[in-house]
Amino acid sequence: MLVLVINCGSSSVKYQVRDTAATGEDAQVIAKGLIENIGGAEIPTHTEALHIMAEALVEPLHGKTIDAIGHRVVHGGEIFSEPVIITEDVITKIDELSPLAPLHNPAHVLGIRAAQETYPGVPMVAVFDTAFHGTMPAHAYRYAVPEDFYEQYGVRRYGFHGTSHDYVTGIAADFLGVERSEFNGVIAHLGNGASITAIEKGACIDTSMGYTPLAGLIMGTRSGDIDPSALTSVMIQNPEITAEKMDTILNKQSGLLAIAGNNDMREVVEAMEGGDERAKLALDMTSYRLAKYIGGYHVAVGGMQALVFTAGIGENSSQFRELAISRLGALGIKLDAEANLVRGDEPRVISTKDSAIPVLVVPTNEEKAIAEATEALTK
Ligand code: AMP
């Protein structure tokens, strides 16, 4: 089946056409691309962007037609706990969830509408970044704040990167030869955004991102967890820092960037190796925060059968993995230094044979997961 996977942001569209019947990643990916600067003079709306995409797909498709379209949608709120066929009602609900994801959900609606115009009659599926976390129990997703916050504003933990955590959980269980429904593990998705998920019996029981993707781990430009009173205190002391400004500071000017002066993990590691004290502090903070979460989630899942690293940093930064794993001695986890240096697209073990808990690297593939979910609902 030929599935077009679309990820619409407010000013960009990322797309990929996948042949789900082909074998291997290279054969599956028929075409991919990124269209930016939507809203500018040349590409005023998502409709023009999708026309440009459709034009670019003519040649690689060789006359074949798209069978189905899968849309990545950031927020499914408490409504969507699995992928769904897109109907008018679904579009309305995605739009109604916009207060929870003001930058993303309105853009998804524009993208879905534009796709309907460009590919009339082609079935479409929405795959939600939050959906996999729908199995969290209330004691993990509720915040201890007045009930109104939850009832009126939907303030609770939702979690993100769900498509990736779900996909990697399935691959890890398979790799270990464990039934997914019997698999307890901890998945660390460490990319530009980073989150960690506690998996019990193959399902999510806790995750580090919260009401928004700001919470939890220290990321490239996001602070992760912080005492909220520190923020209100700064805002009271300096009224020029409005809520919007504070939001920008925490999301775009914090994390590795704030401490090390750079948000690219490769460069921060290089700087540390060259003796840069700020880079060292940033990496110490980031790996320490991650190790605390791993310890906590090990307890949450009743003892993990594996710790799994994925995404840009998790898959590629042997140095960062080493820093994090060096803090896990109390769990009897031992890194195999040589295995840790191996690179590749396949799942692999990076712990020693006598490590109390195996540590894996499992490459993630959100487009593949979205294409498979789309196929499952439309074939
Ligand atoms: P993602 O959001 O999953 O694409 O991950 C992006 C992050 O992965 C960036 O912080 C990059 O610095 C990091 N990254 C990608 N390749 C490498 C690498 N070879 N070594 C260290 N970090 C990497």
Side-chain angles (χ1 to χ4, degrees):
M1 182 182 252
L2 279 188
V3 181
L4 167 61
V5 177
I6 299 182
N7 182 356
C8 268
S10 53
S11 67
S12 69
V13 175
K14 204 173 148 197
Y15 63 89
Q16 202 173 92
V17 176
R18 301 186 65 98
D19 178 357
T20 55
T23 311
E25 181 66 9
D26 288 348
Q28 284 208 352
V29 180
I30 307 289
K32 62 180 176 179
L34 173 70
I35 298 166
E36 293 178 290
N37 298 321
I38 300 172
E42 279 171 44
I43 316 177
T45 71
H46 286 75
T47 303
E48 285 82 13
L50 288 210
H51 284 153
I52 293 169
M53 176 192 74
E55 282 294 308
L57 290 179
V58 169
E59 209 228 283
L61 283 175
H62 295 302
K64 283 183 253 165
T65 51
I66 300 289
D67 297 306
I69 300 173
H71 288 268
R72 172 177 180 266
V73 176
V74 164
H75 223 302
E78 288 190 323
I79 301 174
F80 298 107
S81 53
E82 50 191 25
V84 290
I85 296 267
I86 295 178
T87 61
E88 279 305 308
D89 181 50
V90 167
I91 297 173
T92 305
K93 287 187 169 125
I94 292 172
D95 201 27
E96 282 170 3
L97 289 166
S98 293
L100 295 176
L103 295 180
H104 293 103
N105 276 28
H108 299 323
V109 171
L110 293 173
I112 291 168
R113 291 285 182 217
Q116 286 177 324
E117 274 177 49
T118 312
Y119 297 95
V122 175
M124 300 198 291
V125 169
V127 180
F128 299 91
D129 223 24
T130 49
F132 179 59
H133 305 300
T135 47
M136 278 188 290
H139 65 249
Y141 73 67
R142 286 296 300 271
Y143 294 120
V145 290
E147 192 74 10
D148 275 13
F149 284 34
Y150 177 55
E151 297 293 340
Q152 276 197 31
Y153 307 108
V155 172
R156 52 158 284 177
R157 181 185 307 283
Y158 292 100
F160 300 87
H161 294 144
T163 307
S164 173
H165 284 292
D166 185 12
Y167 176 80
V168 169
T169 297
I171 303 275
D174 236 31
F175 181 79
L176 293 167
V178 183
E179 282 293 317
R180 181 180 169 135
S181 59
E182 300 289 319
F183 175 61
N184 299 333
V186 174
I187 315 288
H189 174 114
L190 311 176
N192 240 334
S195 67
I196 179 164
T197 292
I199 303 293
E200 188 180 68
K201 298 188 188 311
C204 171
I205 60 158
D206 203 353
T207 190
S208 59
M209 283 181 170
Y211 175 73
T212 75
L214 181 68
L217 303 174
I218 295 171
M219 312 179 209
T221 61
R222 294 185 207 140
S223 63
D225 295 337
I226 179 169
D227 177 353
S229 284
L231 310 176
T232 46
S233 169
V234 168
M235 290 167 76
I236 290 165
Q237 292 177 69
N238 182 353
E240 279 184 14
I241 303 183
T242 59
E244 284 78 14
K245 278 191 188 152
M246 184 57 93
D247 202 54
T248 304
I249 291 169
L250 294 171
N251 278 289
K252 304 225 161 97
Q253 298 163 15
S254 297
L256 289 179
L257 180 62
I259 306 298
N262 192 317
N263 63 320
D264 189 310
M265 182 54 85
R266 277 165 291 212
E267 292 175 26
V268 179
V269 167
E270 249 172 58
M272 178 195 69
E273 288 170 348
D276 185 313
E277 284 301 316
R278 289 176 68 193
K280 181 173 185 323
L281 174 62
L283 291 171
D284 282 346
M285 290 166 64
T286 308
S287 58
Y288 176 70
R289 174 84 54 93
L290 175 62
K292 281 206 295 188
Y293 266 97
I294 292 169
Y297 284 178
H298 178 57
V299 172
V301 303
M304 60 182 157
Q305 291 158 329
L307 166 64
V308 186
F309 285 90
T310 192
I313 296 166
E315 292 169 30
N316 296 304
S317 183
S318 55
Q319 298 97 327
F320 185 73
R321 289 194 302 254
E322 186 180 343
L323 279 174
I325 292 167
S326 69
R327 298 182 183 279
L328 301 174
L331 299 181
I333 290 180
K334 292 187 201 156
L335 183 70
D336 180 330
E338 223 172 276
N340 187 39
L341 293 177
V342 172
R343 301 180 65 90
D345 299 333
E346 297 299 319
R348 54 196 184 270
V349 180
I350 59 166
S351 49
T352 60
K353 286 217 165 61
D354 65 342
S355 176
I357 298 163
V359 182
L360 312 182
V361 173
V362 173
T364 191
N365 192 336
E366 290 180 67
E367 284 83 8
K368 183 168 188 232
I370 292 172
E372 285 172 359
T374 302
E375 179 178 39
L377 284 178
T378 56
K379 75 175 171 194

